[in-house]
Amino acid sequence: MLPLAVSLGDLGGVGIEVTLKALADQPPARPVVLFGDGNAVASVKRQLSLGLAIEAGPPPPEAAGGVFLRASTALDEQDFKPGAPSRAAARSTLLHLTEAVDAVRDGTCAALVTAPIQKEKLSEVGFTHPGHTEFLAERTGASRFAMMLAGDRLRVTLVTIHCALKDVASKVTRPGVVEKIELTHAALTAWFGIERPKIAVLGLNPHAGEGGLFGDEETRAIRPAIEEMKARGMDVDGPHPADGFFGKESRHSYDAVVCMYHDQGLIPLKMEHFWDGVNLTLGLPIIRTSPDHGTAYDIAGKGIADARSMAQAIRWADRFARTQGG
């Protein structure tokens, strides 16, 4: 069985900690290859006193499990201090992220799990993307992609991702909404095994525009996209006013919700799944999951980071890989 690839993210954050905790608690029934700095991994492992065996190098072909480390750097301790980003750490992070993506892209690994990154220092060493999602799309050659945040009770897909709120309205277009519905539908069927997904689509404006009184995005872009998807046989409805939708128990009758911008989807998602939410990138030629949290510099190095979201991301990467025969 092909291994999972895990890029360990920012060395000064909690990525290594939550990954090692998750694997020590419940390792998947397949090998796991960690991509990260060798000295940083050893330091965190010592601090946590985990009885997790980590072997250097790639797993042997016959391996049915185990944790392996691919470490292309071995930084000095001053370069990976908890809560203190550095250029050296950023270069290591970018190198290992690239190696992990390529390992999945070339078929060496079955799926990718990414620990959180810190974009400010990464931008100083050549990372030109707003986040993981855009980087992965470029690296894998995906022209259509979407961010889905998911838990067992709620899944949300975002039409716009990392952009200023003042720019959202101009980016909500009929083709864009159609694309995100299509990608959501495909993920629900292929990964989650839902034969006929039921998808809700939210409006952008208060009261979903109230017939154009508060904006025309619903009538100009969102509703026509919904009608197009219905005509193609998909079970899609809306646009729903966001406040009322998330306040009703009926939200749980939907398999996913397509939201127009970042906080419209992530605030309710994190209210339901703050500790176990998973970030999925839809539309890539590879499977990618990640925990739904950041580097958490404020608690890095203290050994108190909660690993549930990373554990869920690893479980789902394994699960989705199995659905695809990996």
Side-chain angles (χ1 to χ4, degrees), residues 56-239:
E62 68 277 7
V67 180
F68 302 82
L69 176 62
R70 178 170 169 178
S72 297
T73 63
L75 300 181
D76 293 333
E77 189 169 343
Q78 64 184 12
D79 290 320
F80 55 83
K81 291 181 179 179
S86 71
R87 286 196 175 192
R91 282 191 288 268
S92 173
T93 296
L94 182 54
L95 171 63
H96 289 109
L97 171 60
T98 304
E99 290 177 343
V101 175
D102 291 349
V104 183
R105 189 180 61 174
D106 68 18
T108 304
C109 293
L112 173 67
V113 183
T114 62
I117 56 176
Q118 203 270 357
K119 287 103 173 173
E120 182 179 353
K121 283 296 178 184
L122 280 174
S123 69
E124 297 177 8
V125 298
F127 189 85
T128 60
H129 303 82
H132 264 124
T133 300
E134 296 85 355
F135 172 81
L136 294 169
E138 181 180 284
R139 190 75 187 175
T140 61
S143 58
R144 290 159 38 96
F145 58 91
M147 178 187 289
M148 173 187 279
L149 288 302
D152 291 330
R153 298 179 303 280
L154 180 63
R155 307 179 187 100
V156 300
T157 301
L158 308 179
V159 172
T160 65
I161 308 176
H162 299 119
C163 66
L165 191 58
K166 64 182 177 62
D167 298 328
V168 168
S170 65
K171 295 179 180 293
V172 174
T173 65
R174 175 174 177 169
V177 176
V178 165
E179 176 181 286
K180 299 309 187 277
I181 296 173
E182 289 175 332
L183 292 171
T184 300
H185 189 277
L188 292 172
T189 54
W191 291 352
F192 291 95
I194 302 170
E195 290 187 14
R196 181 168 169 75
K198 184 177 181 180
I199 300 171
V201 182
L202 302 187
L204 171 64
N205 298 293
H207 305 174
E210 200 157 309
L213 290 176
F214 306 137
D216 67 349
E217 287 78 15
E218 286 78 13
T219 56
R220 174 177 51 80
I222 301 172
R223 190 178 300 279
I226 293 169
E227 294 304 319
E228 180 178 337
M229 294 296 95
K230 284 183 175 180
R232 288 164 54 179
M234 294 186 188
D235 188 357
V236 183
D237 62 43

Side-chain angles (χ1 to χ4, degrees), residues 244-260:
F245 180 86
F246 286 117
K248 296 176 181 178
E249 282 300 313
S250 59
R251 69 187 183 278
H252 294 303
S253 68
Y254 292 89
D255 298 301
V257 187
V258 174
C259 306
M260 295 302 117

Side-chain angles (χ1 to χ4, degrees), residues 6-29:
V6 182
S7 66
L8 293 174
D10 185 89
L11 302 185
V14 298
I16 299 175
E17 177 184 341
V18 295
T19 301
L20 299 189
K21 284 180 174 178
L23 291 173
D25 182 59
Q26 191 176 14

